Amino acid sequence: MKDDSSSATLADSLRSELNRFSEGEKLPSSRTLVERFGVSPVTVTRALAALAAEGLVVTRPGSGTYRARTGAVRAARPVDTSWQQVALTAEDQHAEPAPRVVDASAITATLAAPPPGVIPFNGGYLHASLQPERALAAALARAARRPGAWDRPPLEGLTPLRAWFAREAGGPAGTIGPAQVLVTAGGQSALTTALHALAPPGSPVLVESPTYPGALAVARAAGLRPVPVPVDEDGVRPELLADAFAATGARVFFCQPLFQNPTGAVLAPGRRREILAIAHAAGAFVIEDDFARRLGHGGPLPPPLVADDPHGTVVHVSSLTKPTSPSLRVGAIIARGPVMERLRAIQVVDSFFVPRPLQEATLELVGAPAWPRHLRAVAAGLAERRDAMLAALHHELPALAPARAPAGGYQLWLRLPDGADEAALAGAALRSGVAVAAGRPYFAAEAPAPYVRVSFADTAGTSEITEGVHRLAAACAETGITAVT
């Protein structure tokens, strides 16, 4: 078999050999298949994805590929999503219409490049030194040479890429496959599609408090009414979520269970099923923004909520932009039941489809041996920068240093003293040569206290972080914020 052999041909070969393996037995590694058949890693990835989509094999990230147990596949029952027919059509006839407010200021504040010489503690993307520039260039070059690379793709996305996102999400065998995945133009596009699909104009949408300002901007631009639900160090508080559903009749809850932006909180194990049960009892959807799954600092991660969802409650949003490059705008929505048809229709109306060359390049990237090495490098680089920022804060501004170090993500959430003017601090910091994000835009309603968010993702390294915190300390002194406990 030559290098230009198709993944379909390889899948046929592997399909004919599956009877040689017992149910549950591990298949040869991807590297072995590459060497044996003389094909690229991407071809192997696509062939295995096709077999997984047929339920013939099960791929376990970090472990390998196994022949599926037929009994287990048959035991996977279809999820009962009949409740979605009510949730997708219910509207609060007594709710006052919410004005459409199109305000991108909170988003542009993080997207705008600071002036020359200013240290960017306000960024949300990886520094160029952490981006896989060579791997991206190689992936784009290989994708451009692929036959049909410039043809129109399926509206829902390339099947092998959808299968990859499905495998990454995990879940019981047979419950999440390519049919439950819609490829999107990044996480922000996915979030916009989800909110437009799930909530009619004028309706309430529950959000964590504080939360990602981009979600608030999308909701308000769609004429929705964001209702805050407080979080603590273990994520959203279930009792307050239940109260909010009861008080508002909301049908949507937006959350970030892993390395929440801006607090860095991880939803505690004991709260996961409780949150899903509360939402299901309310006949509501949970939009899970899993933006930081590939931004861990090392160590095991909990599975996404969608992997534990027995009712089709979770609409899962993920993206490859954060761990790669701002310009690799490829993400996915995972959903089960009739809601997927609405999600697909809204994306088609808004943007038709994600360009095929970008999807092909993404497949080349995540299927290459360099991909896991890149993720390890990102984990190490973010952990090193986090530790440097925490050390500098403890030295320069111990009163602001957080008590718990985040295990992933790229930011720290700093509580300022009562009465502090966070906007004045952000202005003083910029004059001192460091850009930070004021906390007010992260709240859907009045903020309970002043905060600033400082990010370490877009920094060149530890020395720049140390200097940035030193400049922030000067800004604190200028605005009268104490540096000691």
Side-chain angles (χ1 to χ4, degrees), residues 218-242:
V218 171
R220 289 167 177 151
L224 306 178
R225 295 184 289 116
V227 177
V229 183
V231 302
D232 58 23
E233 62 184 11
D234 290 324
V236 68
R237 295 173 55 182
E239 74 282 5
L240 298 182
L241 179 65

Side-chain angles (χ1 to χ4, degrees), residues 278-322:
I278 290 170
H280 183 61
F285 291 96
V286 173
I287 299 178
E288 176 189 24
D289 184 1
D290 202 27
F291 77 103
R293 179 146 303 271
R294 299 165 189 90
L295 299 177
H297 299 167
L301 300 179
L305 285 182
V306 71
D308 294 333
D309 172 25
H311 302 295
T313 298
V314 176
V315 174
H316 175 86
V317 171
S318 66
S319 172
L320 289 171
T321 305
K322 291 292 187 184

Side-chain angles (χ1 to χ4, degrees), residues 441-464:
Y442 292 83
F443 291 93
E446 293 79 5
Y451 289 88
V452 292
R453 194 197 77 159
V454 290
S455 167
F456 44 83
D458 194 20
T459 58
T462 57
S463 60
E464 186 173 64

Side-chain angles (χ1 to χ4, degrees), residues 40-96:
S40 71
V42 173
T43 298
V44 171
T45 299
R46 294 184 176 187
L48 293 176
L51 297 183
E54 298 170 17
L56 299 176
V57 300
V58 175
T59 301
R60 300 170 188 163
S63 176
T65 303
Y66 301 78
R67 182 182 173 185
R69 300 180 184 275
T70 55
V73 173
R74 285 194 298 268
R77 299 178 179 176
V79 175
D80 181 6
T81 57
S82 56
W83 63 273
Q84 292 186 7
Q85 298 178 50
V86 177
L88 291 170
T89 56
E91 296 187 24
D92 187 348
Q93 302 297 328
H94 304 290
E96 297 182 3

Side-chain angles (χ1 to χ4, degrees), residues 8 12 23 31-32 34 68 91 124 138 164 167 172 184 258 329 353 405-406 466:
D12 288 340
E23 292 184 6
R31 179 176 297 180
T32 300
V34 166
E91 296 187 24
W164 183 85
R167 293 196 305 275
T184 67
L258 185 65
R329 305 210 62 78
F353 49 79
T466 301

Side-chain angles (χ1 to χ4, degrees), residues 432-446:
S432 296
V434 60
V436 300
R440 180 64 187 85
Y442 292 83
F443 291 93
E446 293 79 5

Side-chain angles (χ1 to χ4, degrees), residues 298-357:
L301 300 179
L305 285 182
V306 71
D308 294 333
D309 172 25
H311 302 295
T313 298
V314 176
V315 174
H316 175 86
V317 171
S318 66
S319 172
L320 289 171
T321 305
K322 291 292 187 184
T324 56
S325 162
S327 291
L328 188 70
R329 305 210 62 78
V330 174
I333 298 175
I334 296 177
R336 291 172 291 176
V339 67
M340 176 52 82
E341 184 58 36
R342 181 176 293 188
L343 291 163
R344 183 186 296 108
I346 286 180
Q347 173 161 290
V348 169
V349 169
D350 285 348
S351 57
F352 286 6
F353 49 79
V354 177
R356 183 165 190 148

